[in-house]
Amino acid sequence: MKINVLGGGPAGLYFAYLARKRLGKVEIHVHERNAPDATFGFGVVLAGAGLARLEKADAESFARLRGITKRLGNQEIILDGQAVSIEGEEYGGAVERLQLLKVLQELCAEVGVQVTHHDGISDVGALEDADLLVGADGANSTLRRTYAHAFGTHGSQLSNAFAWYGAERVHDRPTLSFRKAGGGAFCAHYYPYTDRRCTFVMECDRAAWEGCNFGEMTEEQRQAFVEELYTEELQGGPLISNKSEWRNFQPVWNDHWTYGHRVLIGDAVRRAHFSIGSGTRIAMEDSIALVKALAVKGDISTALTTYVATRKPAADKLIGAAQESYSWYEEMGRHMQADSPHAFALDYLTRTSRVDTRRVASDYPAFMKALAAERVRMTQ
């Protein structure tokens, strides 16, 4: 069997590695447009449930990935400078994206996967000679765009704007800090991925964008503005830019995941909003499910049908949660009018249908006790 993979990110590399190990005599070629050491992100989250699934799928690669993963402590939510701790089970971990790609590239080389870089494919016809063509080339997928009608591609655009930065600071937990400015709302999503560096995602609603005149600013001026607004969280230091452009998130989804011998995985098939921190996890779990289906079913057509039937329900639940989550952020200025920081934090924790107050009470009893005490103080 010959498999061509378009895209050498986590989804494509992990699929190629697992497929080469599980499917026996199979020829796999990964085509990646960028250099092997090129990455335009900082750190990515691998939540606890996701780590467990990676371990179950392949203990050898999991051990390598675990070695470069920074463990994350309890979550913290800050409203206008007032912090609320969400104490419970550990959040999971985060890993530097460049180190993640390096480990996956090494694993692919060890099992005999051919990976070529600087290999931008503008005409997917050049890859159609394979028995299976996997589109793992991200949100701007060439494979998906080429056959958009067959895949049934749809998209939209959110009103909030965001930009990915990094920051040099010692930190130990995923944190959300909400602040008001310009008649609107800002949120900093930040978490450590090394001992001294954090991913720092900035987001603002439409009211803040317009009220702070962000549309009239350069990228450098926008960065300077949020550095001043979040000087406490940044401990007076600067943000680190790496193609950190402010833009609007564009959800993408497809009616069909497959077309003939072609299949989409990861961000190519749908984009998971960064507010649920599961994009890399979902992509790598796609890879696990696709390899499992190929290993069980002999012919490609049946295997792809099995893959969609077994993987889509679970993935759809996560994407549904992501849609509920980004809808909450689109209205975050209104939510920030909560009576107290703990009440706001509860509203945040229950922003998707996957988590209700009963589950919060079960998972975070100390938080609920603090919320009850806060409500008592407010009535006295």
Side-chain angles (χ1 to χ4, degrees), residues 79-93:
L79 177 62
D80 292 326
Q82 300 183 71
V84 174
S85 181
I86 315 297
E87 298 180 357
E89 294 183 4
E90 285 192 343
Y91 194 83

Side-chain angles (χ1 to χ4, degrees), residues 22-49:
R22 299 286 183 266
L23 304 183
K25 294 183 179 180
V26 56
E27 176 188 345
I28 305 178
H29 190 169
V30 178
H31 303 263
E32 168 55 38
R33 67 171 67 91
N34 293 313
D37 59 351
T39 182
F40 305 114
F42 294 92
V44 297
V45 170
L46 294 175

Side-chain angles (χ1 to χ4, degrees), residues 328-375:
W328 186 95
Y329 276 94
E330 294 281 282
E331 298 288 334
M332 63 182 175
R334 176 175 61 82
H335 292 290
M336 288 169 65
Q337 298 172 17
D339 293 338
S340 69
H342 280 81
F344 172 73
L346 179 63
D347 186 31
Y348 170 80
L349 292 171
T350 57
R351 72 193 184 282
T352 78
S353 56
R354 291 169 61 85
V355 178
D356 57 15
T357 303
R358 181 178 300 179
R359 178 172 169 182
V360 174
S362 174
D363 292 348
Y364 311 114
F367 164 76
M368 291 300 286
K369 183 178 179 179
L371 171 62
E374 185 178 65
R375 286 173 171 169

Side-chain angles (χ1 to χ4, degrees), residues 75-358:
Q75 191 174 28
E76 187 172 62
I77 298 173
I78 305 172
L79 177 62
D80 292 326
Q82 300 183 71
V84 174
S85 181
I86 315 297
E87 298 180 357
E89 294 183 4
E90 285 192 343
Y91 194 83
V95 60
E96 185 177 2
R97 182 175 170 84
L98 186 57
Q99 288 300 311
L100 174 62
L101 292 176
K102 181 180 178 181
V103 167
L104 291 173
Q105 289 163 6
E106 291 172 349
L107 288 165
C108 282
E110 290 168 11
V111 298
V113 172
Q114 182 181 1
V115 181
T116 56
H117 292 86
H118 305 288
D119 190 9
I121 303 294
S122 57
D123 180 7
V124 297
L127 307 181
E128 292 283 7
D129 61 329
D131 299 289
L132 176 64
L133 178 53
V134 180
D137 48 341
N140 298 312
S141 169
T142 298
L143 181 62
R144 187 193 64 227
R145 189 168 60 249
T146 300
Y147 300 108
H149 180 73
F151 285 120
T153 304
H154 304 276
S156 63
Q157 180 169 287
L158 305 185
S159 64
N160 282 10
F162 72 100
W164 284 79
Y165 297 101
E168 291 277 359
R169 65 156 291 176
V170 176
H171 197 52
D172 67 348
R173 66 194 61 194
T175 302
L176 296 161
S177 180
F178 296 83
R179 292 187 177 274
K180 303 181 185 74
F186 282 83
C187 179
H189 312 237
Y190 57 101
Y191 53 87
Y193 62 90
T194 72
D195 289 339
R196 300 196 60 84
R197 182 164 286 191
C198 290
T199 294
F200 212 97
V201 187
M202 284 304 315
E203 182 175 5
C204 74
D205 63 13
R206 178 54 54 183
W209 179 274
E210 295 174 351
C212 296
N213 295 316
F214 260 37
E216 307 302 319
M217 294 184 187
T218 64
E219 295 294 349
E220 292 76 14
Q221 290 171 328
R222 292 169 188 154
Q223 179 175 331
F225 181 96
V226 295
E227 284 173 344
E228 182 176 355
L229 183 63
Y230 281 91
T231 185
E232 180 178 353
E233 288 83 352
L234 289 166
Q235 300 174 339
L239 290 167
I240 301 169
S241 177
N242 181 8
K243 296 185 180 295
S244 302
E245 300 178 353
W246 283 80
R247 58 199 186 277
N248 299 89
F249 190 86
Q250 296 179 316
V252 174
W253 63 97
N254 296 270
D255 294 334
H256 311 290
W257 291 17
T258 66
Y259 171 50
H261 67 296
R262 310 164 192 90
V263 59
L264 302 175
I265 63 174
D267 279 357
V269 73
R270 69 357 229 145
R271 295 186 73 186
H273 192 256
F274 55 85
S275 66
I276 64 168
S278 296
T280 301
R281 163 194 167 183
I282 294 172
M284 295 177 75
E285 288 179 4
D286 284 353
S287 301
I288 294 169
L290 180 54
V291 171
K292 185 176 180 180
L294 290 166
V296 173
K297 302 297 180 181
D299 64 283
I300 296 297
S301 178
T302 303
L304 293 184
T305 299
T306 299
Y307 163 65
V308 175
T310 56
R311 176 61 182 149
K312 194 172 186 299
D316 282 352
K317 288 181 180 179
L318 285 170
I319 296 306
Q323 292 171 340
E324 292 174 322
S325 182
Y326 68 59
S327 296
W328 186 95
Y329 276 94
E330 294 281 282
E331 298 288 334
M332 63 182 175
R334 176 175 61 82
H335 292 290
M336 288 169 65
Q337 298 172 17
D339 293 338
S340 69
H342 280 81
F344 172 73
L346 179 63
D347 186 31
Y348 170 80
L349 292 171
T350 57
R351 72 193 184 282
T352 78
S353 56
R354 291 169 61 85
V355 178
D356 57 15
T357 303
R358 181 178 300 179

